[in-house]
Amino acid sequence: MRRRTLFLALVLTVSLRVHVGAQAPVTYRISFPEPEHRFAQVEVTFAEVGSAPLEVRMSRSSPGRYALHEFARNVFDVQASDGNGKPLAIDRPDAHQWTVPRHDGTVRMRYRVHGDQVDGTFLAVDATHAHLNMPATLMWARGHEDRPARITFERPAGRNWIVATQLHPTDDPFTYTAANLQYLMDSPVEFSNLTLKTFTVRIPGGAATSASLEANEARIRLALHHNGTDREAQELATDIAKLAREAGAIFGEFPSFDVGHYTVLADYLPYAAGDGMEHRNSTVVSASGALSNAVQRESMLGTIAHEFFHSWNVERIRPRSLEPFNFDQANISGELWLAEGVTSYYQNLLMRRTGLTSLEDTVAEFAHTIDVVTRSPGRSLRSPVDMSRLAPFVDAARWSDRTNWDNLYISYYTWGAALGLGLDLSLRELTRGRVTLDDYMRVLWRAHGRPPARAEGLVAAPYTLRDARLLLGEISGDQAFADQFFDRFIEGREVVDYAALLERAGLVLRKRNPGRAWLGDVRLSFSGASTRIAEPVPVGSPLYRAGLDRDDEILALDGEAISSSSQLEAVLQRHRPGDEVAVIFARRDGRVKGSVTLEEDPRIEIVPAERTGRPLTAAERTFRDAWLTSRHN
Ligand SMILES: [Zn+2]
């Protein structure tokens, strides 16, 4: 009994020594000895780690991405040594871990990691740059997540690359620090011959609501890697400033960026994948297009608007379900309709309010969103909250089996954007324009986003679904309205009456092709004489009711062989909704003779009233302007 106590006391002393005082930082050295061969060489040193086996891990997930990416896949040539350079044995207890059972308190891991994917999730190394997402690149040690990190980038010989990142700078332009693993993993790096534009954005009307003057200002840096001109970079910076100012006006202040500035890491390269990934003080945006192409440029700006809005909504106004981020698992959240979907709604609003997109494009986006949500079969199965929780299966997830997502799922981006629109218009209607979604975002910000974090990379007051519900009651002054909206549209599966709400803004929601016969939104592949159904048939559509599904071959429709979309179109043209048309098709159980009952094309469009042959009323103009024009003029 006594001996046992003594033993415990000893253990306590040892563990106290490990925890008292500043912990030795984890130091990383990253080099690119042959960048053209697309790998990084990483050396990481864990010092003063005691004597227990050291569990070194690669992350399975990355903040802001919800599927598992199993970053250990790309790691190779792993070696461990101790403080004296003596090689150490490594155990492999699972696919993501390298355990070093015996060492002298210092463990140095050396490994290489392949990366050839320019986006917001993975690692890319080539002759033009190193583009690093940290979970795809860095090993870390279990139990040492709270230690600071120090990271040095070695510039490849003969290259004039510079580093752009939200990591904290030091006197050495190639060495940066992070307070802990959460912040380190949240800090992507672009290391290239990039173009850097720095500018300050101010919100004119913000002073009244802000505690400090600085909150009305944001320092923003554009770190651009592209094949275009400096003038394009400058013009992009100008438009980012417009978007940032418009976003700031919604909240009345900018977040207090941990490093004093916000960085847009933009890679617009023919070999980049289209992506946008938010972080606390930066974003990675990538696209294969070029700024010289106006259509591509508009889409790039939309992505930047989205990601910058995230510096409030999700990075600081953060669901409790995502806090802190777990690098060993897929992270699920029932609030992505708000974190992502409402951000998508604001992406459209910001683009419209700054005049960077047209009214036509804005309402076309709204129409698409409403159309998808209203008509998707998945709505009969799951609410926006349920859909949010499916993110690990759909957010850049890859599977090898054939799935039926078109029928089972609605993106929380799309449904959330529709909810943002529906809630904004409902609030404006309820309060006669006194309260809007902007006000709701502001109260979310004040209650959950603004309180300072206890540690870098963490959020002090993350919200729950219930918090979001109660704050809606508070800002609308009508808890019954808030409860009903959450019960019916967010935790339920009903759809807001968009037509009536849009009418207030002089926007007419109507059928796109009234009176036109329709078979269902079915993807057909035409090859020679055969017409095959290429994807699952939407549940409830005319073809579904007729018993057709994926892989079935349509041999004849209305007595005719169909071998092109124009032939199919001709058949539909000569019929009316309600007509019953003969169909012969080959299914796995043989040849089937049946019939399909055509319906009216249900797809909708939104048209400004003034384009429908009647003038816009003064009240409609006022409503529309208060909603869709700049907030700071
Ligand atoms: Zn997003």
Side-chain angles (χ1 to χ4, degrees), residues 278 306-307 310 340 413:
E278 69 278 7
H306 181 107
E307 305 310 331
H310 270 318
E340 286 295 353
Y413 284 91

Side-chain angles (χ1 to χ4, degrees), residues 118-140:
V118 184
D119 68 3
T121 308
F122 294 96
L123 167 71
V125 181
D126 62 38
T128 72
H129 69 166
H131 177 85
L132 298 93
N133 189 44
M134 292 314 183
T137 313
L138 300 184
M139 288 186 177
W140 48 276

Side-chain angles (χ1 to χ4, degrees), residues 64 66 276-278 303 306-307 310 313-314 339-341 343-344 347 412-413:
Y66 300 102
M277 182 48 63
E278 69 278 7
T303 303
H306 181 107
E307 305 310 331
H310 270 318
N313 191 28
V314 94
E340 286 295 353
T343 298
S344 285
Q347 162 184 346
Y412 44 85
Y413 284 91

Side-chain angles (χ1 to χ4, degrees), residues 378-511:
R379 194 163 62 78
S380 69
L381 301 168
R382 296 177 172 116
S383 71
V385 172
D386 297 330
M387 294 298 180
S388 297
R389 295 192 177 118
L390 295 179
F393 302 136
V394 289
D395 182 46
R398 297 223 174 137
W399 313 99
S400 55
D401 60 336
R402 301 167 109 200
T403 57
N404 191 19
W405 285 95
D406 286 348
N407 273 317
L408 307 182
Y409 173 71
I410 302 172
S411 167
Y412 44 85
Y413 284 91
T414 313
W415 205 340
L419 285 169
L421 173 64
L423 182 53
D424 199 359
L425 295 176
S426 298
L427 279 169
R428 287 168 195 270
E429 162 127 338
L430 176 77
T431 65
R432 297 174 177 273
R434 196 175 43 78
V435 179
T436 73
L437 194 68
D438 295 353
D439 299 298
Y440 182 48
M441 293 314 299
R442 267 195 206 208
V443 292
L444 282 166
W445 165 246
R446 287 186 194 150
H448 297 286
R450 188 200 269 160
R454 63 201 149 83
E456 186 171 278
L458 296 174
V459 167
Y463 70 88
T464 61
L465 201 56
R466 186 173 161 71
D467 293 328
R469 176 191 281 254
L470 293 177
L471 280 173
L472 182 61
E474 203 174 287
I475 191 67
S476 65
D478 188 341
Q479 191 59 50
F481 160 81
D483 285 337
Q484 200 208 94
F485 199 92
F486 268 78
D487 289 345
R488 292 178 61 192
F489 307 122
I490 294 171
E491 297 184 65
R493 308 192 304 259
E494 290 180 61
V495 172
V496 174
D497 182 359
Y498 290 99
L501 291 168
L502 286 162
E503 194 68 47
R504 298 273 176 168
L507 296 173
V508 179
L509 187 154
R510 63 186 189 191
K511 287 239 167 82

Side-chain angles (χ1 to χ4, degrees), residues 193-502:
N193 181 20
L194 54 87
T195 302
L196 192 66
K197 302 283 176 195
T198 304
F199 47 97
T200 300
V201 179
R202 286 181 192 84
I203 326 166
T209 58
S210 295
S212 76
L213 270 176
E214 288 89 337
N216 298 331
E217 296 183 350
R219 236 172 121 66
I220 299 178
R221 311 187 311 168
L222 167 63
L224 176 62
H225 178 197
H226 72 152
N227 295 328
T229 64
D230 189 67
R231 186 197 166 97
E232 285 164 0
Q234 191 51 57
E235 286 169 355
L236 181 64
T238 302
D239 285 346
I240 293 173
K242 282 186 205 162
L243 289 166
R245 195 158 169 248
E246 200 63 53
I250 289 166
F251 293 96
E253 62 186 357
F254 290 100
S256 158
F257 296 119
D258 303 65
V259 273
H261 49 66
Y262 179 90
T263 307
V264 178
L265 303 163
D267 280 56
Y268 300 139
L269 301 161
Y271 44 90
D275 200 7
M277 182 48 63
E278 69 278 7
H279 299 278
R280 263 183 84 78
N281 307 298
S282 62
T283 178
V284 168
V285 289
S286 60
S288 60
L291 287 166
S292 54
N293 178 311
V295 175
Q296 292 168 351
R297 186 178 189 276
E298 188 176 321
S299 149
M300 293 163 176
L301 280 167
T303 303
I304 293 172
H306 181 107
E307 305 310 331
F308 192 69
F309 195 82
H310 270 318
S311 62
W312 290 272
N313 191 28
V314 94
E315 288 301 330
R316 291 172 175 83
I317 304 170
R318 193 162 177 81
R320 181 163 290 168
S321 47
L322 294 178
E323 190 69 8
F325 194 82
N326 184 337
F327 299 101
D328 287 327
Q329 280 180 25
N331 291 243
I332 82 159
S333 167
E335 293 81 31
L336 294 184
W337 61 271
L338 172 53
E340 286 295 353
V342 170
T343 298
S344 285
Y345 170 64
Y346 270 104
Q347 162 184 346
N348 291 323
L349 274 196
L350 291 172
M351 289 293 285
R352 179 65 213 125
R353 286 177 179 175
T354 49
L356 289 168
T357 202
S358 65
L359 177 66
E360 288 68 25
D361 285 353
T362 306
V363 298
E365 193 61 44
F366 292 158
H368 170 75
T369 303
I370 294 168
D371 202 35
V372 167
V373 170
T374 309
R375 298 197 299 110
S376 290
R379 194 163 62 78
S380 69
L381 301 168
R382 296 177 172 116
S383 71
V385 172
D386 297 330
M387 294 298 180
S388 297
R389 295 192 177 118
L390 295 179
F393 302 136
V394 289
D395 182 46
R398 297 223 174 137
W399 313 99
S400 55
D401 60 336
R402 301 167 109 200
T403 57
N404 191 19
W405 285 95
D406 286 348
N407 273 317
L408 307 182
Y409 173 71
I410 302 172
S411 167
Y412 44 85
Y413 284 91
T414 313
W415 205 340
L419 285 169
L421 173 64
L423 182 53
D424 199 359
L425 295 176
S426 298
L427 279 169
R428 287 168 195 270
E429 162 127 338
L430 176 77
T431 65
R432 297 174 177 273
R434 196 175 43 78
V435 179
T436 73
L437 194 68
D438 295 353
D439 299 298
Y440 182 48
M441 293 314 299
R442 267 195 206 208
V443 292
L444 282 166
W445 165 246
R446 287 186 194 150
H448 297 286
R450 188 200 269 160
R454 63 201 149 83
E456 186 171 278
L458 296 174
V459 167
Y463 70 88
T464 61
L465 201 56
R466 186 173 161 71
D467 293 328
R469 176 191 281 254
L470 293 177
L471 280 173
L472 182 61
E474 203 174 287
I475 191 67
S476 65
D478 188 341
Q479 191 59 50
F481 160 81
D483 285 337
Q484 200 208 94
F485 199 92
F486 268 78
D487 289 345
R488 292 178 61 192
F489 307 122
I490 294 171
E491 297 184 65
R493 308 192 304 259
E494 290 180 61
V495 172
V496 174
D497 182 359
Y498 290 99
L501 291 168
L502 286 162

